[in-house]
Amino acid sequence: MVFIGIDVGGTKIACGVTDEEGVILSRVSTGTLAHRPFAAVVRDMADAALEALAQSGHEIADVGAVGVGIPGVAENVNGTVIFCTNLGWENVPLRRELNRYIDKPVFIDNDATLAGLAESVAGVSRGAASSVFITLGTGVGGGIILNGRPWAGAQGAASELGHMTLCIDGVPCSCGKKGCLERYCSATALIRMGREAAAEHPDSLILTMAGGEPDNINGKIVVDAARQGDPAALSVFDRYTTYLALAVNNVVTFLDPEVIVLGGGVSQAGAFLADAVREKVPGLLLFKALSFGRLELAVLGNEAGIIGAAMLGRLMRGGETL
Ligand SMILES: [Zn+2]
Protein backbone atom coordinates (compact mmCIF):
# COMPACT_ATOMS: atom_id res chain seq x y z
CA MET A 1 0.00 0.00 0.00
CA VAL A 2 1.20 3.53 -0.76
CA PHE A 3 0.20 6.98 0.51
CA ILE A 4 -0.13 10.33 -1.21
CA GLY A 5 1.30 13.36 0.60
CA ILE A 6 0.48 16.88 -0.55
CA ASP A 7 2.33 19.87 0.90
CA VAL A 8 0.54 23.09 0.00
CA GLY A 9 2.57 26.25 0.42
CA GLY A 10 1.95 29.85 -0.50
CA THR A 11 4.03 29.51 -3.69
CA LYS A 12 4.37 25.77 -4.36
CA ILE A 13 2.34 22.57 -4.13
CA ALA A 14 4.60 19.55 -3.60
CA CYS A 15 3.02 16.13 -4.09
CA GLY A 16 4.61 12.78 -3.47
CA VAL A 17 3.88 9.11 -3.06
CA THR A 18 5.46 7.22 -0.19
CA ASP A 19 5.56 3.66 0.99
CA GLU A 20 4.28 2.65 4.42
CA GLU A 21 7.54 3.71 6.09
CA GLY A 22 7.47 7.22 4.65
CA VAL A 23 10.06 6.61 1.92
CA ILE A 24 9.29 8.89 -1.04
CA LEU A 25 8.81 6.92 -4.26
CA SER A 26 8.02 9.80 -6.59
CA ARG A 27 7.24 13.51 -6.47
CA VAL A 28 5.69 16.22 -8.64
CA SER A 29 5.52 19.95 -7.89
CA THR A 30 3.43 22.73 -9.34
CA GLY A 31 2.88 26.41 -8.62
CA THR A 32 0.17 27.29 -6.11
CA LEU A 33 -0.85 30.55 -7.80
CA ALA A 34 -2.75 31.27 -4.62
CA HIS A 35 -4.75 34.18 -6.02
CA ARG A 36 -6.89 31.73 -8.02
CA PRO A 37 -10.23 30.33 -6.87
CA PHE A 38 -10.01 27.49 -4.34
CA ALA A 39 -11.39 24.89 -6.80
CA ALA A 40 -8.68 25.66 -9.37
CA VAL A 41 -5.90 25.20 -6.79
CA VAL A 42 -7.39 21.88 -5.63
CA ARG A 43 -7.65 20.65 -9.20
CA ASP A 44 -3.91 21.26 -9.67
CA MET A 45 -3.22 19.50 -6.36
CA ALA A 46 -5.11 16.46 -7.63
CA ASP A 47 -3.45 16.53 -11.05
CA ALA A 48 0.03 16.70 -9.53
CA ALA A 49 -0.80 13.96 -7.01
CA LEU A 50 -2.11 11.64 -9.72
CA GLU A 51 0.93 12.34 -11.88
CA ALA A 52 3.20 11.44 -8.96
CA LEU A 53 1.16 8.26 -8.48
CA ALA A 54 1.64 7.28 -12.13
CA GLN A 55 5.38 7.98 -11.84
CA SER A 56 5.61 5.74 -8.78
CA GLY A 57 4.33 2.83 -10.87
CA HIS A 58 1.31 2.40 -8.61
CA GLU A 59 -2.40 2.66 -9.28
CA ILE A 60 -5.21 4.34 -7.40
CA ALA A 61 -6.20 0.95 -5.96
CA ASP A 62 -2.84 0.82 -4.17
CA VAL A 63 -3.42 4.15 -2.38
CA GLY A 64 -4.35 3.89 1.30
CA ALA A 65 -5.10 7.55 1.92
CA VAL A 66 -4.21 11.11 1.01
CA GLY A 67 -2.69 13.52 3.53
CA VAL A 68 -2.51 17.27 3.01
CA GLY A 69 -0.34 19.76 4.89
CA ILE A 70 -1.45 23.39 4.90
CA PRO A 71 -0.01 26.54 6.48
CA GLY A 72 -3.11 26.95 8.60
CA VAL A 73 -5.74 25.21 10.72
CA ALA A 74 -7.98 22.33 9.64
CA GLU A 75 -10.44 19.83 11.14
CA ASN A 76 -10.69 16.19 10.12
CA VAL A 77 -14.34 15.45 10.93
CA ASN A 78 -15.51 16.96 7.68
CA GLY A 79 -12.10 17.64 6.17
CA THR A 80 -12.43 21.39 6.24
CA VAL A 81 -9.65 23.98 6.16
CA ILE A 82 -10.81 26.44 8.79
CA PHE A 83 -8.26 29.14 8.16
CA CYS A 84 -5.25 29.51 5.91
CA THR A 85 -4.04 33.08 5.57
CA ASN A 86 -1.42 32.62 2.81
CA LEU A 87 -3.93 30.99 0.51
CA GLY A 88 -6.88 33.17 1.48
CA TRP A 89 -8.89 30.06 2.47
CA GLU A 90 -11.56 30.24 5.16
CA ASN A 91 -13.87 27.28 5.89
CA VAL A 92 -13.23 25.56 2.56
CA PRO A 93 -14.27 21.89 2.02
CA LEU A 94 -10.87 20.57 0.95
CA ARG A 95 -11.69 16.86 1.42
CA ARG A 96 -14.93 17.11 -0.56
CA GLU A 97 -13.26 19.02 -3.40
CA LEU A 98 -10.25 16.69 -3.55
CA ASN A 99 -12.56 13.64 -3.51
CA ARG A 100 -13.99 14.81 -6.84
CA TYR A 101 -10.68 13.74 -8.40
CA ILE A 102 -9.26 11.20 -5.94
CA ASP A 103 -11.79 8.96 -4.23
CA LYS A 104 -9.73 8.08 -1.16
CA PRO A 105 -9.80 9.11 2.53
CA VAL A 106 -8.33 12.62 2.85
CA PHE A 107 -6.84 14.02 6.05
CA ILE A 108 -5.49 17.53 6.63
CA ASP A 109 -3.20 19.08 9.21
CA ASN A 110 -0.92 22.02 9.83
CA ASP A 111 2.39 21.87 7.91
CA ALA A 112 4.64 22.39 10.95
CA THR A 113 2.78 19.63 12.79
CA LEU A 114 3.29 17.33 9.80
CA ALA A 115 6.99 18.18 9.58
CA GLY A 116 7.17 17.09 13.21
CA LEU A 117 5.31 13.88 12.39
CA ALA A 118 7.67 13.22 9.48
CA GLU A 119 10.73 13.59 11.73
CA SER A 120 9.12 11.27 14.27
CA VAL A 121 8.46 8.58 11.65
CA ALA A 122 11.50 8.83 9.39
CA GLY A 123 13.80 11.49 10.82
CA VAL A 124 15.77 12.63 13.83
CA SER A 125 13.02 12.02 16.43
CA ARG A 126 12.23 8.55 15.09
CA GLY A 127 11.22 6.22 17.87
CA ALA A 128 10.69 8.99 20.43
CA ALA A 129 7.41 8.75 22.35
CA SER A 130 7.11 12.53 22.51
CA SER A 131 8.63 15.30 20.45
CA VAL A 132 8.11 18.95 19.65
CA PHE A 133 9.11 20.38 16.29
CA ILE A 134 9.92 24.08 16.07
CA THR A 135 10.21 25.53 12.59
CA LEU A 136 12.31 28.69 12.29
CA GLY A 137 11.25 30.27 9.02
CA THR A 138 9.45 33.43 7.99
CA GLY A 139 7.42 32.80 11.12
CA VAL A 140 7.74 30.18 13.85
CA GLY A 141 5.56 27.07 13.68
CA GLY A 142 5.24 24.19 16.08
CA GLY A 143 4.29 20.55 15.97
CA ILE A 144 3.56 18.37 18.99
CA ILE A 145 3.80 14.59 18.59
CA LEU A 146 2.61 12.50 21.54
CA ASN A 147 2.79 8.71 21.45
CA GLY A 148 3.42 8.87 17.71
CA ARG A 149 0.37 11.00 16.97
CA PRO A 150 0.08 14.71 16.24
CA TRP A 151 -1.61 16.66 19.03
CA ALA A 152 -3.91 19.08 17.27
CA GLY A 153 -5.77 20.32 20.33
CA ALA A 154 -9.46 20.27 21.15
CA GLN A 155 -10.25 22.89 18.50
CA GLY A 156 -7.32 22.15 16.19
CA ALA A 157 -5.51 25.27 17.33
CA ALA A 158 -2.71 23.70 19.41
CA SER A 159 1.04 24.03 18.95
CA GLU A 160 1.03 27.60 17.64
CA LEU A 161 4.28 28.21 19.48
CA GLY A 162 5.09 31.23 17.35
CA HIS A 163 2.27 33.19 18.90
CA MET A 164 3.00 32.50 22.53
CA THR A 165 3.88 35.81 24.14
CA LEU A 166 7.58 36.11 24.89
CA CYS A 167 7.79 39.87 25.68
CA ILE A 168 5.00 41.98 27.17
CA ASP A 169 4.59 45.13 25.05
CA GLY A 170 7.18 43.75 22.63
CA VAL A 171 7.50 43.89 18.85
CA PRO A 172 4.07 44.01 17.10
CA CYS A 173 3.08 40.74 15.41
CA SER A 174 1.05 40.08 12.25
CA CYS A 175 -1.55 38.37 14.47
CA GLY A 176 -2.41 41.66 16.15
CA LYS A 177 -0.66 41.03 19.48
CA LYS A 178 2.70 42.32 20.65
CA GLY A 179 5.80 40.40 21.65
CA CYS A 180 4.93 37.03 20.08
CA LEU A 181 7.73 34.45 20.16
CA GLU A 182 8.09 34.51 16.38
CA ARG A 183 8.99 38.21 16.45
CA TYR A 184 12.22 37.10 18.21
CA CYS A 185 12.90 33.54 17.01
CA SER A 186 12.01 33.53 13.29
CA ALA A 187 14.36 34.07 10.36
CA THR A 188 12.54 37.38 9.92
CA ALA A 189 13.55 38.36 13.46
CA LEU A 190 17.18 37.36 12.90
CA ILE A 191 17.27 39.52 9.75
CA ARG A 192 15.65 42.45 11.58
CA MET A 193 18.21 42.26 14.38
CA GLY A 194 21.00 41.91 11.80
CA ARG A 195 19.86 45.05 10.00
CA GLU A 196 19.60 46.98 13.25
CA ALA A 197 23.13 45.92 14.20
CA ALA A 198 24.47 46.86 10.76
CA ALA A 199 22.88 50.32 11.04
CA GLU A 200 24.47 50.81 14.43
CA HIS A 201 27.85 49.36 13.39
CA PRO A 202 28.40 50.25 9.73
CA ASP A 203 31.89 48.73 9.91
CA SER A 204 30.40 45.35 10.78
CA LEU A 205 31.10 42.31 8.62
CA ILE A 206 27.31 41.91 8.29
CA LEU A 207 27.14 44.94 6.00
CA THR A 208 30.33 44.01 4.12
CA MET A 209 28.98 40.53 3.38
CA ALA A 210 25.74 42.12 2.18
CA GLY A 211 27.70 44.19 -0.34
CA GLY A 212 27.07 47.37 1.67
CA GLU A 213 23.34 47.08 1.02
CA PRO A 214 21.19 46.62 4.18
CA ASP A 215 18.34 45.15 2.10
CA ASN A 216 20.62 42.25 1.12
CA ILE A 217 21.13 41.17 4.74
CA ASN A 218 19.65 37.73 5.30
CA GLY A 219 19.80 35.18 8.08
CA LYS A 220 22.69 33.28 6.54
CA ILE A 221 24.83 36.43 6.36
CA VAL A 222 24.22 37.21 10.03
CA VAL A 223 25.10 33.64 11.03
CA ASP A 224 28.17 33.50 8.77
CA ALA A 225 29.44 36.86 10.08
CA ALA A 226 28.99 35.57 13.65
CA ARG A 227 30.82 32.38 12.73
CA GLN A 228 33.74 34.52 11.56
CA GLY A 229 33.80 36.31 14.91
CA ASP A 230 32.38 39.70 13.90
CA PRO A 231 31.45 41.39 17.22
CA ALA A 232 28.18 42.97 16.02
CA ALA A 233 27.04 39.70 14.42
CA LEU A 234 28.06 37.71 17.49
CA SER A 235 26.00 40.03 19.65
CA VAL A 236 22.94 39.50 17.42
CA PHE A 237 23.52 35.74 17.34
CA ASP A 238 23.84 35.67 21.13
CA ARG A 239 20.58 37.58 21.54
CA TYR A 240 18.81 35.40 18.96
CA THR A 241 19.95 32.12 20.57
CA THR A 242 18.97 33.46 24.00
CA TYR A 243 15.43 34.02 22.70
CA LEU A 244 15.47 30.58 21.13
CA ALA A 245 16.69 29.01 24.37
CA LEU A 246 13.76 30.73 26.15
CA ALA A 247 11.40 29.26 23.57
CA VAL A 248 12.88 25.80 24.11
CA ASN A 249 12.70 26.33 27.87
CA ASN A 250 8.99 27.20 27.55
CA VAL A 251 8.42 23.94 25.67
CA VAL A 252 10.37 21.94 28.26
CA THR A 253 8.59 23.63 31.17
CA PHE A 254 5.20 22.92 29.68
CA LEU A 255 5.62 19.53 28.01
CA ASP A 256 9.07 18.06 28.80
CA PRO A 257 9.26 16.14 25.51
CA GLU A 258 11.84 13.47 24.78
CA VAL A 259 13.12 15.32 21.70
CA ILE A 260 12.92 18.95 20.56
CA VAL A 261 13.62 19.35 16.86
CA LEU A 262 14.68 22.65 15.30
CA GLY A 263 13.74 22.93 11.62
CA GLY A 264 13.14 25.59 8.99
CA GLY A 265 15.62 27.94 7.29
CA VAL A 266 17.54 29.11 10.37
CA SER A 267 18.22 25.50 11.39
CA GLN A 268 20.60 25.30 8.41
CA ALA A 269 23.05 27.14 10.66
CA GLY A 270 23.62 23.61 11.97
CA ALA A 271 25.66 22.72 15.03
CA PHE A 272 26.70 26.38 15.46
CA LEU A 273 23.06 27.16 16.29
CA ALA A 274 22.16 23.96 18.13
CA ASP A 275 25.24 24.09 20.37
CA ALA A 276 24.57 27.72 21.33
CA VAL A 277 20.99 26.87 22.33
CA ARG A 278 22.01 23.64 24.10
CA GLU A 279 24.46 25.66 26.17
CA LYS A 280 21.83 28.21 27.24
CA VAL A 281 18.87 26.00 28.10
CA PRO A 282 20.20 24.33 31.29
CA GLY A 283 20.52 27.67 33.09
CA LEU A 284 16.84 28.36 32.43
CA LEU A 285 15.43 25.05 33.66
CA LEU A 286 13.16 24.98 36.67
CA PHE A 287 14.46 21.64 37.90
CA LYS A 288 18.17 22.11 37.42
CA ALA A 289 18.99 18.67 38.76
CA LEU A 290 17.06 17.11 35.86
CA SER A 291 18.30 17.08 32.32
CA PHE A 292 16.04 18.04 29.43
CA GLY A 293 15.09 16.29 26.19
CA ARG A 294 17.49 15.94 23.29
CA LEU A 295 17.73 19.11 21.21
CA GLU A 296 18.26 18.11 17.57
CA LEU A 297 18.28 19.62 14.11
CA ALA A 298 15.71 18.44 11.57
CA VAL A 299 17.14 16.09 8.96
CA LEU A 300 14.37 15.72 6.38
CA GLY A 301 14.45 19.29 5.01
CA ASN A 302 11.91 20.03 2.30
CA GLU A 303 10.88 16.38 2.11
CA ALA A 304 9.29 16.58 5.56
CA GLY A 305 6.11 18.14 4.12
CA ILE A 306 5.34 15.27 1.77
CA ILE A 307 6.42 12.55 4.21
CA GLY A 308 4.44 14.05 7.10
CA ALA A 309 1.29 14.45 5.02
CA ALA A 310 1.54 10.89 3.68
CA MET A 311 2.12 9.51 7.19
CA LEU A 312 -0.88 11.47 8.49
CA GLY A 313 -2.93 9.60 5.91
CA ARG A 314 -1.50 6.31 7.08
CA LEU A 315 -2.09 7.13 10.74
CA MET A 316 -5.62 8.47 10.43
CA ARG A 317 -6.82 5.89 7.95
CA GLY A 318 -6.16 2.89 10.11
CA GLY A 319 -6.04 4.56 13.48
CA GLU A 320 -2.92 2.44 14.02
CA THR A 321 -0.07 3.59 16.20
CA LEU A 322 3.16 4.27 14.43
ZN1 LIG B 1 1.53 36.69 16.97
Side-chain angles (χ1 to χ4, degrees):
M1 187 174 287
V2 295
F3 296 90
I4 292 175
I6 306 177
D7 182 19
V8 189
T11 55
K12 196 179 82 171
I13 297 167
C15 296
V17 174
T18 80
D19 67 11
E20 300 193 12
E21 308 302 317
V23 175
I24 296 180
L25 307 174
S26 64
R27 80 194 83 201
V28 171
S29 291
T30 185
T32 309
L33 308 172
H35 58 275
R36 296 180 296 164
F38 165 69
V41 176
V42 177
R43 190 187 178 110
D44 279 359
M45 285 167 61
D47 283 349
L50 292 172
E51 198 183 324
L53 182 65
Q55 283 183 17
S56 75
H58 287 273
E59 297 177 354
I60 196 74
D62 303 326
V63 176
V66 181
V68 186
I70 50 138
V73 178
E75 59 82 15
N76 278 308
V77 177
N78 300 305
T80 304
V81 174
I82 297 161
F83 196 67
C84 190
T85 320
N86 291 356
L87 302 171
W89 292 356
E90 210 173 323
N91 289 314
V92 291
L94 182 54
R95 176 185 295 153
R96 195 180 73 199
E97 194 65 23
L98 205 50
N99 275 157
R100 292 176 59 192
Y101 311 101
I102 305 173
D103 189 18
K104 290 287 170 180
V106 172
F107 303 99
I108 314 158
D109 213 324
N110 173 267
D111 52 6
T113 297
L114 293 185
L117 179 63
E119 293 288 344
S120 83
V121 174
V124 72
S125 47
R126 184 178 192 156
S130 57
S131 60
V132 171
F133 185 90
I134 307 176
T135 173
L136 310 168
T138 309
V140 171
I144 302 170
I145 310 298
L146 296 176
N147 299 318
R149 303 181 73 92
W151 173 255
Q155 324 293 329
S159 82
E160 291 291 348
L161 295 175
H163 298 283
M164 287 169 72
T165 302
L166 202 58
C167 298
I168 304 286
D169 294 329
V171 179
C173 181
S174 55
C175 74
K177 291 194 299 169
K178 285 180 179 172
C180 287
L181 191 150
E182 74 171 33
R183 296 298 108 190
Y184 304 91
C185 295
S186 60
T188 313
L190 181 59
I191 294 165
R192 183 190 72 235
M193 291 188 261
R195 286 182 181 156
E196 286 166 3
E200 208 175 314
H201 306 279
D203 55 337
S204 145
L205 196 53
I206 300 175
L207 202 55
T208 314
M209 291 173 77
E213 181 49 64
D215 284 350
N216 291 344
I217 295 171
N218 58 33
K220 186 175 185 307
I221 286 178
V222 178
V223 170
D224 286 347
R227 235 190 262 272
Q228 292 188 33
D230 176 71
L234 274 173
S235 161
V236 169
F237 187 71
D238 182 57
R239 195 146 54 95
Y240 177 79
T241 51
T242 297
Y243 285 128
L244 200 49
L246 282 165
V248 169
N249 175 60
N250 283 349
V251 168
V252 172
T253 306
F254 189 66
L255 213 59
D256 184 23
E258 201 174 318
V259 187
I260 296 157
V261 184
L262 301 180
V266 182
S267 72
Q268 285 168 15
F272 186 59
L273 177 82
D275 288 345
V277 179
R278 282 185 191 119
E279 197 179 301
K280 287 173 175 165
V281 173
L284 302 168
L285 295 175
L286 177 60
F287 301 110
K288 299 209 169 24
L290 298 177
S291 82
F292 66 103
R294 282 195 286 133
L295 181 78
E296 304 284 1
L297 296 163
V299 294
L300 297 175
N302 292 335
E303 297 195 331
I306 290 173
I307 297 170
M311 292 298 95
L312 176 77
R314 178 191 140 179
L315 191 66
M316 300 288 281
R317 174 186 170 273
E320 67 254 69
T321 311
L322 290 169

